[in-house]
Amino acid sequence: MRARKKLAIVSALTAVAASAGMLFGASPASAGPNCASGYHCVFYLGINDSARHSYFDSDTDFGNDTFNQLTSRAGGGQVVHNNVDSASNSSSGNYESHYYTGVGSDWGGFLFCVNPGSSIDYLPSSLQNRASSLQVRGRTSIHCY
């Protein structure tokens, strides 16, 4: 009897631990404004009043991308390269959005980053219209919007 009771207790504790792991193991989606879950979005002007382009992963060159969503708004169809005024991060895996001035594998100069679930509606003028690439990174110690 005693062995069965011990086995039942161990089984119950294992079940509780397994369910807790399922509840806390995965990061929930962090929703940034006007950006679908799992995506890193850039905007031609403001988050709520201009065209958007959504990235799921890193992109080393915005030169081949256009603001292809919400195209009836300002900036619809324009090239993303050096035309980003706002950004939003709806990462589903706790990833930061890091934006750079350069293109290619060297990423160029770092401009700014956006935390999961956050956004920057109208970057400071010194950062507007300069982003030309995106690196999606795990959490860092860099201060992000």
Side-chain angles (χ1 to χ4, degrees), residues 15-64:
V16 168
S19 67
M22 288 174 59
L23 291 173
F24 300 112
S27 296
S30 297
N34 205 6
C35 189
S37 179
Y39 287 87
H40 307 263
C41 300
V42 292
F43 300 85
Y44 184 76
L45 293 173
I47 288 174
N48 293 310
D49 59 3
S50 67
R52 170 184 70 209
H53 186 87
S54 301
Y55 295 94
F56 184 75
D57 213 345
S58 298
D59 189 320
T60 60
D61 186 354
F62 289 172
N64 296 319

Side-chain angles (χ1 to χ4, degrees), residues 30 93-96 98 114-118 137-142 144:
S30 297
N94 207 23
Y95 293 104
E96 296 173 354
H98 288 243
V114 182
N115 282 322
S118 294
R137 301 179 63 184
R139 286 297 195 140
T140 66
S141 60
I142 298 171
C144 298

Side-chain angles (χ1 to χ4, degrees), residues 24-144:
F24 300 112
S27 296
S30 297
N34 205 6
C35 189
S37 179
Y39 287 87
H40 307 263
C41 300
V42 292
F43 300 85
Y44 184 76
L45 293 173
I47 288 174
N48 293 310
D49 59 3
S50 67
R52 170 184 70 209
H53 186 87
S54 301
Y55 295 94
F56 184 75
D57 213 345
S58 298
D59 189 320
T60 60
D61 186 354
F62 289 172
N64 296 319
D65 304 329
T66 60
F67 290 98
N68 60 356
Q69 299 166 323
L70 308 172
T71 56
S72 65
R73 297 177 177 183
Q78 296 294 315
V79 174
V80 175
H81 180 81
N82 291 340
N83 279 318
V84 173
D85 277 7
S86 302
S88 185
N89 180 345
S90 290
S91 171
S92 56
N94 207 23
Y95 293 104
E96 296 173 354
S97 311
H98 288 243
Y99 294 92
Y100 297 85
T101 59
V103 297
S105 60
D106 69 352
W107 299 106
F110 174 77
L111 289 173
F112 66 95
C113 55
V114 182
N115 282 322
S118 294
S119 65
I120 176 66
D121 197 17
Y122 288 101
L123 289 155
S125 60
S126 63
L127 298 175
Q128 289 180 4
N129 303 317
R130 295 187 60 207
S132 52
S133 57
L134 164 69
Q135 184 178 23
V136 176
R137 301 179 63 184
R139 286 297 195 140
T140 66
S141 60
I142 298 171
H143 172 73
C144 298

